[in-house]
Amino acid sequence: MSISNQSLAKYKLVFLGDQAVGKTSIITRFMYDKFDSTYQATIGIDFLSKTMYLEDRTVRLQLWDTAGQERFRSLIPSYIRDSSVAVIVYDVTNRTSFLNVTRWVQEVRVERGGDVNIFLVGNKTDLLDKRQVSLEESDAHARELGVHFIETSAKAGFNIKALFRRIGASLPGSDAGRGEDAANGANGGGPATVQLEAKAKPAAASACSC
Amino acid sequence: MAAADEAAQDLYGFPLPPGAAVEAAVGAPRGGRELPPEPELKELVRGGVPPPLRGWVWTEASGAAARRAAQSPSYFAGMAAAGQAAAAPHAAAIAADARCAFPAHPWLRSDEGQAALRRVCAAFAAHNPRVGYTRPLSQIVALLLVALNRNQARWENAFWLLVQLVEATLLEGTYSQNLAGCAVEMRALEALIAAKLPRLAAHMAALEADVSLFAMDWFLSLFAASLPSETAARVWDALLLEGPKILFRVALALLKSNEDALLSNGSAGELTLAARAAAAGAHDRDALMRVAFEGVGGLPMAVIERARGQGSREVEAEARERDAARSGSAGGAVSPRHVPQQHSGELRELRERAGVLTAVAASGVRKGVGALVSAARKAAGGGPDKRAGGEGAVPGALAP
């Protein structure tokens, strides 16, 4: 299978966010269209890859799932920090996980500057009566941070496809374009991005050592 | 022969692919309660401890029995109660992780198994608040519990083994608030791969595949969730006596035995999966340990310490760099009021730790086998364990 994938443009996606917000669940829903409340817990880092068919081309997504616990943060290798897309997940029923989003965004920007698409994802919308973070507040916060935003429920399968469609549309067309489709993909991603938010702007383009 | 009849499970009750060999249970423990002298003991543990003897050999050879003897008999119960109090800081995380430590294992999933996991992890978090609780600990506890026959009377031994592992056996800081010790071990492993497996090292460098992508959980969970359980227990036989050099030997053996497969991968992700698959498929314990002890070649502690010293300097430098980058970006669009915790304290701690680690590496402070055995002996005679300290032990907690 690796032979047929050889020619596809590859994109690295890293999933970040606090512990137990549902990073693995979102990936599992996307990969296998299933949900299981008893996963083997992620220790450190996990890897999955999937071919995705976009409107005008086919790409290979490399998904890196990270452990959410605070103490793992400094161990996330720069290889993964160096991703095209950072998906930062919080739990809409856990206010702390939402407040920590700012720090995750900052973490990614320190590493990558503005050279990365950041998606803010509020997961667990199926838990209606436990919600602690409103859609409006998150939307406003995402605008403030200059990142894309969507709410999902991995359990109910809500908006997971939409999330990855948006991610696909945001991918730089020529970035990793060693493949045959690189030519027609140039800048193809930009305009299709859902304009919930203006294009991500780095935090006051100050001294970024990356 | 407990598990031999059930083809689908290994000795410890974990699911097993068809055809994998099951460890033959050996008779009852010997009458003697004294471990053999060091050279013989080392040879014996490297050959594999018979499963029914594991509880005894592990607790004695590691020094856990000595620790236990140095404390009041109610120490574990007291810590377990404190750690499971409603307001205990890690109770929720422990309960959540207990459910997904080994979801496929029937006993660990049962009410009793869950209670055991929670109790031991909570007791440890109360005993050592500086480490507290982190996910890999529950995986270690899970395998300890099943290897110690799940017997409620032995839960306490699982606790003391965990204490001994974290506070004496493994590199200091392995489970600290930023896992700095583990970061150092990753650098050390990287250096050893470069020395022992240069082709693989070059391939990994070309793919930008950081060793921590696959080895972080090997060193944090001590292979509990990476190797088949009986193979992991076999690794622990040697680890608990000889210390973390065994982790390096086994990691190098897994990579060496599967080098061709690893070299054929074209991306860091594929390489990560291949390394994980190599570990998950290592049912032939004897073959793996033969490579670990013979195929890998000489691995003196001094070499590991040198690699650690270099590693800790790199970890420290990176932390400083990250710190500088962070302070450089402060005052940007990101409002500081949203930042829930200060980085500076964390980084200062990392630096302190790295400093300590450099010192540790320089002085080669890792205790030898002799010290382990003599400590175990001393314990048998009721003496206190002088090797207290280690990682953030609560002052006084180790005093009688």
Side-chain angles (χ1 to χ4, degrees), chain A residues 38-47 64 69-72 74-75 77 79-80 100 102-103 107 110 206, chain B residues 100-101 131 133-135 139 175-179 208 212 217 268-269 276 322 326 328-329 334 338 340 343 346:
Chain A
T38 54
Y39 296 113
Q40 178 106 29
T42 313
I43 302 281
I45 301 152
D46 226 337
F47 173 78
W64 293 92
Q69 203 187 16
E70 169 72 28
R71 62 183 95 189
F72 282 87
S74 59
L75 266 184
Y79 171 81
I80 296 181
N100 283 337
T102 308
R103 194 173 154 195
E107 197 103 359
V110 161
S206 56
Chain B
C100 49
V131 168
Y133 170 76
T134 179
R135 197 171 263 178
Q139 299 192 328
Y175 302 101
S176 72
Q177 292 306 314
N178 47 33
L179 307 178
E208 295 178 274
S212 63
D217 52 354
R276 294 233 168 114
R322 214 172 289 161
R326 276 210 190 94
S329 73
V334 179
H338 287 303
H343 294 295
E346 188 191 330

Side-chain angles (χ1 to χ4, degrees), chain B residues 30 85 94 100 120 149 153 155 178 196 218 237 291 322 359 382:
Chain B
R30 296 180 294 183
I94 289 171
C100 49
V120 174
N149 292 340
W155 293 1
N178 47 33
K196 300 272 184 191
W218 294 357
D237 289 343
V291 179
R322 214 172 289 161

Side-chain angles (χ1 to χ4, degrees), chain A residues 1-2 5-6 10 12 19-20 24 36-49 60 62 64 66-82 96 99-103 105-107 109-111 141 144-145 201-210, chain B residues 90 93 96-97 99-103 130-136 139 175-180 182-183 186 207-210 212-213 216-217 220-221 225 266-270 272-273 276 318 321-322 324-326 328-335 337-343 346 350:
Chain A
M1 67 177 194
S2 58
N5 292 329
Q6 216 64 201
K10 297 188 179 83
K12 251 187 262 177
Q19 200 164 4
T24 306
D36 183 348
S37 55
T38 54
Y39 296 113
Q40 178 106 29
T42 313
I43 302 281
I45 301 152
D46 226 337
F47 173 78
L48 300 102
S49 68
R60 189 80 178 159
Q62 303 179 325
W64 293 92
T66 65
Q69 203 187 16
E70 169 72 28
R71 62 183 95 189
F72 282 87
R73 282 192 192 184
S74 59
L75 266 184
I76 299 172
S78 52
Y79 171 81
I80 296 181
R81 296 167 183 270
D82 179 25
T96 309
L99 295 174
N100 283 337
V101 156
T102 308
R103 194 173 154 195
V105 170
Q106 191 185 24
E107 197 103 359
R109 294 245 166 95
V110 161
E111 203 71 36
H141 193 41
E144 195 183 320
L145 292 167
K201 199 171 170 294
S206 56
C208 267
S209 71
C210 36
Chain B
H90 301 282
D97 278 5
R99 283 191 291 274
C100 49
F102 287 100
R130 282 186 62 186
V131 168
Y133 170 76
T134 179
R135 197 171 263 178
Q139 299 192 328
Y175 302 101
S176 72
Q177 292 306 314
N178 47 33
L179 307 178
C182 180
M186 292 297 100
L207 299 181
E208 295 178 274
D210 192 292
S212 63
L213 294 177
M216 194 194 299
D217 52 354
L220 286 173
S221 298
S267 76
E270 287 169 17
T272 300
L273 294 183
R276 294 233 168 114
E318 255 175 39
E321 228 169 78
R322 214 172 289 161
R326 276 210 190 94
S329 73
V334 179
S335 161
R337 78 194 143 88
H338 287 303
V339 182
Q341 282 178 35
Q342 62 290 60
H343 294 295
E346 188 191 330
L350 176 62

Side-chain angles (χ1 to χ4, degrees), chain B residues 69-166:
Chain B
Q71 283 293 346
S72 97
S74 62
Y75 186 82
F76 171 64
M79 288 296 132
Q84 291 186 289
H90 301 282
I94 289 171
D97 278 5
R99 283 191 291 274
C100 49
F102 287 100
H105 191 283
W107 182 78
L108 289 169
R109 215 175 41 208
S110 72
D111 288 347
E112 190 189 41
Q114 290 286 299
L117 269 171
R118 286 197 303 266
R119 192 168 162 81
V120 174
C121 290
F124 180 82
H127 160 78
N128 189 332
R130 282 186 62 186
V131 168
Y133 170 76
T134 179
R135 197 171 263 178
L137 297 181
S138 59
Q139 299 192 328
I140 295 171
V141 170
L143 187 54
L144 281 172
L145 286 167
V146 292
L148 300 179
N149 292 340
R150 312 169 192 182
N151 184 332
Q152 187 158 358
R154 313 227 174 121
W155 293 1
E156 180 170 358
N157 279 348
F159 165 76
W160 288 111
L161 278 163
L162 181 65
V163 171
Q164 185 69 12
L165 277 165
V166 174

Side-chain angles (χ1 to χ4, degrees), chain A residues 1-61:
Chain A
M1 67 177 194
S2 58
I3 292 168
S4 62
N5 292 329
Q6 216 64 201
S7 57
L8 295 181
K10 297 188 179 83
Y11 295 96
K12 251 187 262 177
L13 277 64
V14 60
F15 283 72
L16 302 165
D18 283 10
Q19 200 164 4
V21 294
K23 298 180 289 294
T24 306
S25 298
I26 289 172
I27 292 174
T28 308
R29 174 61 81 183
F30 172 60
M31 294 285 297
Y32 312 113
D33 197 20
K34 65 172 189 180
F35 179 83
D36 183 348
S37 55
T38 54
Y39 296 113
Q40 178 106 29
T42 313
I43 302 281
I45 301 152
D46 226 337
F47 173 78
L48 300 102
S49 68
K50 188 177 170 97
T51 301
M52 194 175 169
Y53 303 96
L54 303 177
E55 272 177 30
D56 57 342
R57 61 194 177 125
T58 304
V59 296
R60 189 80 178 159
L61 299 183

